[in-house]
Amino acid sequence: MENTNKLTKAQIDELATYCEDAELKQQEITKVTDKYPDMTYRDAFDVQWEVRRRKVARGHKVVGMKMGLTSWAKMAQMGVEQPCYGYLADYFSVPEGGEIKMDELIHPKIEAEIAFVTKAPLKGPGIHIGDVLRATDFIIPAVEVIDSRYKDFKFDLKSVIADNSSSSRFITGGRMALLEDVDIKNLGVVMEINGEIVATGAGAAVLGHPAASVAMLANMMGERGEEIPAGTFIMTGGITAAVTVNRGDSINIRYQDLGSITAKFI
Ligand code: OOG
Ligand code: MG
């Protein structure tokens, strides 16, 4: 991805306000690339990092990172051919068994994911799966609630990056596990909404091995001179396609040997 800017700082700031307002006011927006067709990936990430800076300046904490579009199911669903990343702010976190307020969201979908927690820093370029395995403290189930601010969830890669890769809520729970104790590629996941199975999958759906997703995050952040600090919670991306939820839905995502995550949309 090219690492140069086509937008001015004033234009980055303008798009940061545009994207963050959409999130905070639950307003659907049109793609940022409609407005600035020449913008680069660097510009798109600059928008994401500017919104992140503003949230932190207002007192929020960044509590983790997420990779997105790391499975063929997700790439095919969204018509995009490369992964992207985003950050998780403190108020995105929902407790296991908790309630998610539809009024705070536009058109949420859920994704079954596996999260890694690191015990050593990872700084790209050149990070590979072996570095990630060595730096992993444990893994833990996670469910992401994505809520693209773009109308009808229609976007291109630059637009979704500027919109923090659709991040909005996440739930972690079940049981943590050491990597050596699980067969992560074959780890099965069953997603249920109101008791009906809506999707199933296994860990290998994420780039062949979810640790490859963490390596890619380190390498993408490395392009900006940023590292993944020790102790970072990282969601590695949806294993299945994302599934739309409606008010009143109860979700239950079961992870082989690692328990389950439940929540209710109210
Ligand atoms: C982009 C975010 C995708 C995942 O796990 O693949 C994502 C989107 O599809 O809206 O979080
Ligand atoms: Mg996701």
Side-chain angles (χ1 to χ4, degrees):
M1 289 182 177
E2 75 274 44
N3 210 6
T4 53
N5 290 104
K6 288 268 166 62
L7 300 187
T8 63
K9 178 71 179 102
Q11 289 167 325
I12 301 281
D13 287 345
E14 176 210 323
L15 290 183
T17 303
Y18 178 69
C19 289
E20 197 190 16
D21 276 359
E23 179 222 327
L24 297 177
K25 299 177 186 164
Q26 299 89 46
Q27 283 164 354
E28 285 183 336
I29 51 174
T30 53
K31 296 198 297 292
V32 294
T33 50
D34 289 349
K35 183 146 200 212
Y36 293 110
D38 294 336
M39 68 185 284
T40 63
Y41 285 106
R42 175 75 197 191
D43 292 322
F45 275 116
D46 281 359
V47 173
Q48 181 190 125
W49 281 83
E50 172 57 20
V51 176
R52 173 182 169 148
R53 190 196 64 74
R54 292 179 186 185
K55 288 192 192 302
V56 170
R58 273 185 236 117
H60 286 298
K61 240 184 109 181
V62 172
V63 298
M65 297 295 293
K66 62 81 77 70
M67 284 292 280
L69 307 173
T70 48
S71 68
W72 288 117
K74 281 286 320 185
M75 287 188 237
Q77 182 181 27
M78 306 320 296
V80 163
E81 274 163 23
Q82 269 201 49
C84 55
Y85 70 79
Y87 58 88
L88 305 171
D90 47 11
Y91 67 95
F92 297 179
S93 174
V94 177
E96 209 288 306
E99 293 177 337
I100 296 159
K101 298 191 185 75
M102 290 296 277
D103 286 348
E104 294 175 359
L105 307 173
I106 301 169
H107 43 204
K109 297 184 186 183
I110 56 168
E111 299 177 324
E113 308 206 9
I114 297 168
F116 279 53
V117 175
T118 59
K119 62 182 174 192
L122 286 166
K123 183 162 189 184
I127 294 295
H128 56 70
I129 219 172
D131 300 317
V132 175
L133 298 183
R134 200 180 50 225
T136 299
D137 197 355
F138 58 88
I139 63 161
I140 187 163
V143 171
E144 180 168 29
V145 181
I146 51 169
D147 192 35
S148 175
R149 272 51 70 166
Y150 296 112
K151 193 171 181 320
D152 303 325
F153 256 93
K154 294 232 164 61
F155 49 67
D156 50 36
L157 196 54
K158 289 171 188 167
S159 294
V160 75
I161 288 167
D163 183 34
N164 195 21
S165 297
S166 310
S167 305
S168 83
R169 297 289 180 268
F170 71 95
I171 314 156
T172 184
R175 244 192 330 274
M176 54 86 90
L178 302 178
L179 264 178
E180 49 265 45
D181 294 335
V182 292
D183 177 8
I184 194 167
K185 293 174 128 189
N186 290 311
L187 191 126
V189 178
V190 178
M191 184 191 280
E192 292 175 6
I193 301 181
N194 303 323
E196 258 182 58
I197 295 176
V198 293
T200 59
V206 175
L207 295 173
H209 189 306
S213 170
V214 177
M216 193 175 272
L217 175 65
N219 291 329
M220 290 174 87
M221 288 176 70
E223 286 176 23
R224 301 183 64 93
E226 300 279 349
E227 69 170 26
I228 305 175
T232 302
F233 171 83
I234 302 158
M235 293 196 297
T236 53
I239 289 170
T240 64
V243 181
T244 299
V245 283
N246 296 296
R247 196 186 300 271
D249 284 350
S250 290
I251 63 167
N252 181 19
I253 295 82
R254 292 188 276 118
Y255 292 78
Q256 187 175 5
D257 300 329
L258 299 182
S260 58
I261 292 178
T262 61
K264 191 171 165 83
F265 286 81
I266 62 166

